[in-house]
């Protein structure tokens, strides 16, 4: 039995916390004080009910808005929160972090790099292991706080530690307290580049803007929203993603192959694979109600922007990805390129690709000196 803190009590956090508790682990669940009503509702029920692909009522050790109480005594911290919440939650956590803690971002979306930069500034000398996965564990929807419909879950997730040389040891520690298979990736850059939300979410919203605004999202996002033309845009964005990844020494899996590997689907195009996915098709209208949805406000600044910036740093342009960023910035009245996870926020500004990869793998620190461990 491991002592675990799950930070974030949205759909994914409640499901993970409850699932791990049902597996026999000691779990504390934290939610930001701004969402105290969620904590109150769960505590009033005495736990969390999961139904669907996972069945059971989980009684957690603690559900709280106190980050100190949640982290105290924990060996492993699973940060399951939207990308925009990762840094605020970690800043709240810093005074209570202890040497040797394992902090896993689910999903990471390049967040481990930004958090490492902050830890170097605000807690110099503290040795914790950061890591991130490529996506969420579950496809789920919260009916109400404390009750989650679990539609399904992935066959496995990719994970890497920061620095990358710690990945094997990290998986040894957490493999018995994670509900699905963890597949080691070479480094966190490879993991973040593998989050295909940037491909499937952003493009589908962009090409369905009129439909979203006129119907309030009254359509099936993948089943109805992904047409052959949408699929072609996704495939070109994917080619740019793979080309940029190759410039950093990464041999990334095509979106087509990845989707076939984790879902019970078959097809030769993104259109065929996404529109025919039974996990999503059977749940009725599930499209965003507005364009200012996390499919845009999270996936553009925290995924597409760093990919585009890393491409630029390696001398590669990504005209389709940049166009999607520009158009979605325009329709949401945001400046995602400056607000998102650019190289400055990742602590990689001014570095050559080989210097970035040396830091990410753990061969040197961001000051240029050699690491000792």
């Amino acid at each position: 039995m491991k002592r675990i803190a799950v930070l974030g009590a949205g759909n994914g956090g409640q499901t993970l916390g409850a699932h791990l508790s049902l597996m026999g682990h000691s779990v504390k669940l934290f939610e930001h004080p701004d969402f105290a009503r969620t904590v109150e509702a769960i505590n009033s029920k005495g736990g969390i009910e999961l139904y669907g692909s996972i069945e059971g009522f989980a009684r957690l050790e603690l559900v709280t808005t106190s980050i100190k109480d949640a982290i105290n005594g924990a060996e492993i911290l699973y940060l399951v929160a939207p990308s925009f919440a990762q840094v605020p939650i970690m800043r709240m956590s810093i005074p209570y972090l202890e040497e040797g803690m394992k902090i896993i971002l689910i999903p990471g979306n390049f967040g481990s790099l930004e958090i490492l930069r902050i830890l170097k500034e605000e807690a110099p000398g503290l040795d914790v292991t950061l890591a991130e996965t490529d996506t969420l564990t579950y496809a789920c929807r919260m009916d109400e706080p404390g009750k989650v419909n679990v539609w399904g879950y992935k066959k496995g997730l990719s994970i890497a530690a920061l620095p990358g040389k710690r990945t094997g040891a990290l998986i040894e520690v957490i493999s018995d307290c994670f509900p699905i298979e963890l597949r080691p990736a070479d480094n966190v850059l490879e993991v973040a580049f593998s989050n295909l939300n940037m491909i499937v979410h952003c493009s589908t919203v962009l090409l369905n803007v009129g439909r979203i605004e006129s119907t309030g999202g009254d359509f099936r996002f993948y089943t109805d929203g992904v047409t052959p033309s949408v699929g072609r845009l996704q495939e070109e964005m994917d080619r740019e993603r793979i080309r940029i990844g190759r410039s950093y020494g990464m041999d990334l899996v095509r979106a087509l192959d990845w989707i076939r590997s984790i879902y019970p689907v078959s097809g030769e195009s993104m259109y065929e694979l996404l529109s025919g996915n039974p996990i999503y098709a059977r749940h009725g209208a599930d499209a965003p109600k507005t364009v200012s949805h996390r499919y845009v406000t999270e996936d553009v600044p925290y995924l597409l922007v760093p990919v585009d910036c890393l491409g630029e740093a390696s001398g590669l342009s990504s005209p389709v990805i940049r166009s999607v960023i520009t158009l979605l910035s325009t329709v949401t009245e945001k400046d995602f390129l400056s607000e998102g996870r650019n190289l400055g926020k990742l602590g990689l500004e001014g570095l050559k690709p080989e210097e970035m990869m040396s830091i990410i793998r753990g061969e040197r620190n961001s000051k240029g000196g050699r690491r000792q461990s």
Side-chain angles (χ1 to χ4, degrees):
M1 183 179 73
K2 293 288 199 310
R3 298 187 305 278
I4 298 164
V6 176
L7 309 182
N11 297 347
Q14 287 187 44
T15 306
L16 179 62
H19 196 181
L20 291 174
S21 181
L22 291 171
M23 291 169 61
H25 297 287
S26 173
V27 180
K28 297 178 182 179
L29 178 65
F30 164 82
E31 183 56 287
H32 193 281
D34 288 350
F35 303 96
R37 289 185 180 179
T38 297
V39 170
E40 292 166 3
I42 295 171
N43 283 328
S44 70
K45 294 176 180 178
I48 299 171
E49 176 189 355
L50 302 181
Y51 72 99
S53 296
I54 304 169
E55 301 273 351
F57 187 84
R59 301 184 184 277
L60 282 65
E61 180 181 342
L62 180 68
V63 182
T64 181
T65 58
S66 168
I67 194 75
K68 178 181 179 181
D69 292 346
I71 291 177
N72 183 41
E75 305 163 76
I76 299 163
L77 311 183
Y78 291 125
L79 178 53
V80 191
S83 297
F84 64 80
Q86 290 171 339
V87 167
I89 290 175
M90 286 310 303
R91 280 204 157 105
M92 294 172 67
S93 306
I94 286 174
Y96 312 110
L97 297 179
E98 297 180 5
E99 201 82 2
M101 280 182 166
K102 312 295 187 287
I103 305 169
I104 299 93
L105 283 63
I106 307 172
N109 297 352
F110 300 90
S112 60
L113 287 161
E114 184 170 10
I115 290 169
L116 178 63
R117 177 186 63 78
I118 291 167
L119 287 176
K120 286 178 178 296
E121 294 170 356
E122 300 185 13
L126 178 67
D127 186 14
V128 297
T129 296
L130 294 168
E132 53 181 85
T133 70
D134 57 338
T135 186
L136 286 168
T137 313
Y138 310 95
C140 57
R141 176 178 289 173
M142 179 171 58
D143 295 341
E144 59 188 50
K147 185 177 182 180
V148 183
N149 182 357
V150 185
W151 300 340
Y153 48 92
K154 308 296 193 303
K155 297 176 184 177
L157 296 182
S158 294
I159 189 171
L162 182 65
K165 62 185 180 181
R166 295 185 179 183
T167 300
L170 174 71
I171 291 177
E172 286 186 18
V173 171
I174 70 173
S175 60
D176 65 345
C177 60
F178 201 78
I180 62 175
E181 178 189 0
L182 291 169
R183 302 165 179 166
D186 184 61
N187 57 76
V188 295
L189 213 60
E190 180 181 309
V191 168
F193 265 76
S194 298
N195 187 336
L196 297 182
N197 286 348
M198 71 178 94
I199 304 298
V200 299
H201 288 168
C202 304
S203 56
T204 308
V205 169
L206 178 61
L207 296 189
N208 283 275
V209 164
R211 193 175 193 177
I212 289 170
E213 293 186 333
S214 63
T215 70
D218 188 20
F219 65 96
R220 294 172 298 176
F221 186 66
Y222 297 107
T223 308
D224 303 324
V226 179
T227 63
S229 297
V230 176
R232 284 192 290 274
L233 176 64
Q234 293 170 344
E235 288 164 14
E236 185 55 38
M237 292 174 69
D238 195 50
R239 282 188 280 271
E240 291 183 349
R241 175 188 69 93
I242 289 171
R243 187 165 61 250
I244 293 168
R246 193 174 296 122
S247 71
Y248 287 85
M250 294 181 281
D251 186 17
L252 299 171
V253 176
R254 292 190 312 160
L256 291 164
D257 297 327
W258 185 86
I259 293 168
R260 281 191 289 253
S261 75
I262 66 165
Y263 289 116
V265 292
S266 61
E268 299 304 318
S269 68
M270 291 293 285
Y271 160 65
E272 293 171 341
L273 294 175
L274 292 176
S275 65
N277 188 332
I279 289 179
Y280 293 103
R282 60 177 177 247
H283 297 294
D286 60 356
K289 298 183 184 304
T290 70
V291 179
S292 294
H293 183 271
R294 64 181 177 85
Y295 288 175
V296 173
T297 58
E298 181 170 9
D299 296 341
V300 176
Y302 298 100
L303 284 170
L304 283 184
V305 166
V307 167
D308 181 73
C309 291
L310 285 161
E312 197 168 50
S314 67
L316 293 176
S317 64
S318 47
V320 176
I321 287 176
R322 177 61 70 93
S323 296
V324 171
I325 294 170
T326 301
L327 290 169
L328 287 172
S329 294
T330 301
V331 299
T332 57
E333 299 181 298
K334 300 286 186 181
D335 183 359
F336 287 130
L337 281 170
S338 63
E339 296 172 9
R341 278 188 171 141
N342 50 46
L343 297 186
K345 290 183 179 176
L346 298 180
L348 301 175
E349 192 170 27
L351 299 177
K352 298 176 181 178
E354 58 270 22
E355 294 172 324
M356 297 181 195
M357 296 310 300
S358 183
I359 292 167
I360 289 165
R361 293 187 181 112
E363 297 161 357
R364 54 181 280 176
N365 62 37
S366 57
K367 301 292 186 182
R370 286 285 171 185
R371 287 195 182 276
Q372 299 301 312
S373 61

